[in-house]
Amino acid sequence: MRLTRPRDLSEALDLLADQTWHLLGGGTDLYPAHVERPFAHPLLDLTGVTGLRGIRRTLDGWSIGATSTWTDVVRADLPPAFDALKAAAREVGSIQIQNAATVAGNICNASPAADGVPPLLILDAEVEVASSARGSRTVALQDFIQGNRVTDRKPDEMVTRILIPENAGTGRSSFVKLGSRKYLVISIAMIAARLADGEAAVAAGACSVVARRLARLETVLARRQPGDAFSDLVQPVHFDDLSPIDDVRASAQYRIDAARTCTIRALEEIGS
Ligand SMILES: Cc1cc2nc3c(=O)[nH]c(=O)nc-3n(C[C@H](O)[C@H](O)[C@H](O)COP(=O)(O)OP(=O)(O)OC[C@H]3O[C@@H](n4cnc5c(N)ncnc54)[C@H](O)[C@@H]3O)c2cc1C
C-alpha cells in the first residue's frame, strides 16, 4: 500500500490530476471499509495539507476546512444555529473517532446514516471542490450527495471546504438521533431542526437514500404562532417524501414514526 502526504494544496491537486487515489481524511470510514480488502489505489493523506484545517468566520458566512474534525466542531465558537451540528459531532462514534474523523469525510462517504448531513442541510451548506485543471466550484450539499456512497466529486477533485452562508446562521437549532442504544451507534433515524423568525429548516437522515429537507413541514413551521404545539403542527403527511428501508435496525414504518417523534422532540428542545 502506498501512502503520500502532500504539504500544500497545489501539490495535492497536481497529484490528483495524475492518477486515481483514495483520499484520506481521518480514515475512520476508509480503513474499516478495507479490512481484508486491498486498496485499489494508493492513499493520498490530506491531513498534512496546510490551511485545510480550521473553522473560520468569513465575510459572508462560515467555512469548515476539509480536514477539520468533529472535535474541532465541538470546540469552535459558533452561533446557536450551529447547535445541531455540535450535537451531531458529539454523537459521531466515540471521542477517539471525533478526534480523527473529519466533517468532509462524513459527507464524502455519503452514507444514508451520516450524522453530519442533516445538521449541514439545515445550514444550507455548500461544498467547495477543487481540481488543478478547473480550479474551484461550489455545489449545494443537497446536490453534492447523489446516492448511497455516490457524490458529485470527479476523480481529479477534492473537497476543500464546506461553506455556510451568513443568512443560515440565524436562529436556534437542535439534533435528535435515535439508535438502538445511547452511545457508539448507527442512526435508525435522525432529525436536525433550525427555527428563526418566520423561517424553519428541518432535515431527516437515515430515512431515505440521501438525507433530505422536509419542505412542506418547513412551510407550516415558518407560519407558526406563539402557543402552537409542535405535536399538532408536525403531522405524518409531512414525512411522505421519505423512503426508508426495512433492515436489521428497524422497519421502514418504524423509521417514519421515529422521524416524526424525533422532529417534535427537536423542535421542543429549541422552543418557540
Ligand atoms: C467506531 C466508529 C463509529 C462511527 N460512528 C459514526 C456515527 O455515529 N455517525 C456517523 O455519521 N459516522 C460514524 N462513523 C463513520 C466515520 O467516523 C464518519 O463518517 C467520519 O466523519 C468520516 O471522516 P474521516 O475523515 O474519517 O473519513 P475517511 O475515512 O478519511 O474518508 C471517508 C470517505 O471520504 C473521502 N474523503 C475524505 N476526505 C475527502 C476530501 N477532502 N475530499 C474528497 N473526498 C474525501 C474518502 O476518500 C472516503 O471515500 C463511525 C466510524 C467508526 C469507525
Side-chain angles (χ1 to χ4, degrees):
M1 182 184 84
R2 186 155 73 87
L3 185 147
T4 302
R5 194 165 188 259
R7 289 313 189 103
D8 64 58
L9 185 58
S10 60
E11 184 189 353
L13 294 178
D14 286 346
L15 287 163
L16 258 181
D18 276 354
Q19 66 171 99
T20 305
W21 300 81
H22 289 289
L23 295 177
L24 182 69
T28 62
D29 276 315
L30 201 61
Y31 285 131
H34 286 84
V35 173
E36 294 178 7
R37 189 163 67 87
F39 285 98
H41 311 289
L43 299 183
L44 191 64
D45 181 353
L46 302 177
T47 58
V49 176
T50 312
L52 273 192
R53 185 167 179 177
I55 299 173
R56 297 185 181 87
R57 192 76 169 90
T58 62
L59 284 176
D60 49 7
W62 292 264
S63 143
I64 301 174
T67 55
S68 306
T69 66
W70 289 112
T71 298
D72 293 338
V73 172
V74 170
R75 292 183 180 161
D77 183 16
L78 293 164
F82 287 74
D83 284 356
L85 187 65
K86 287 188 173 234
R90 290 188 196 93
E91 300 235 18
V92 174
S94 58
I95 298 285
Q96 293 90 334
I97 295 291
Q98 292 156 26
N99 286 341
T102 63
V103 183
N106 192 249
I107 64 175
C108 291
N109 192 54
S111 160
D115 285 328
V117 176
L120 288 168
L121 285 175
I122 63 164
L123 290 169
D124 296 339
E126 296 184 329
V127 182
E128 181 187 83
V129 286
S131 67
S132 71
R134 297 176 301 284
S136 289
R137 66 185 174 102
T138 54
V139 50
L141 176 60
Q142 66 198 32
D143 300 325
F144 180 74
I145 303 178
Q146 298 183 332
N148 187 2
R149 318 281 168 185
V150 183
T151 70
D152 178 48
R153 185 182 78 84
K154 310 291 178 290
D156 66 342
E157 289 178 327
M158 59 180 273
V159 170
T160 43
R161 295 189 297 169
I162 297 155
L163 302 167
I164 312 296
E166 179 87 38
N167 57 6
T170 56
R172 299 177 57 215
S173 72
S174 72
F175 174 78
V176 174
K177 165 175 172 174
L178 174 73
S180 56
R181 56 176 186 264
K182 180 65 195 140
Y183 186 66
L184 247 178
V185 69
I186 297 177
S187 292
I188 289 172
M190 74 191 106
I191 293 289
R194 180 172 64 84
L195 294 179
D197 273 352
E199 190 197 339
V202 183
C207 289
S208 42
V209 177
V210 179
R212 55 182 301 161
R213 294 269 293 260
L214 303 176
R216 283 189 289 171
L217 175 58
E218 291 178 356
T219 304
V220 169
L221 291 171
R223 296 185 189 138
R224 70 194 180 281
Q225 298 295 321
D228 282 350
F230 290 122
S231 53
D232 294 334
L233 296 177
V234 181
Q235 290 298 317
V237 68
H238 297 135
F239 300 85
D240 280 357
D241 292 340
L242 300 179
S243 48
I245 54 165
D246 291 307
D247 71 2
V248 288
R249 282 190 285 281
S251 68
Q253 187 56 50
Y254 182 86
R255 283 192 158 92
I256 291 285
D257 293 347
R260 178 166 180 260
T261 302
C262 290
T263 302
I264 294 167
R265 287 181 188 171
L267 293 167
E268 286 176 348
E269 206 173 284
I270 299 171
S272 54

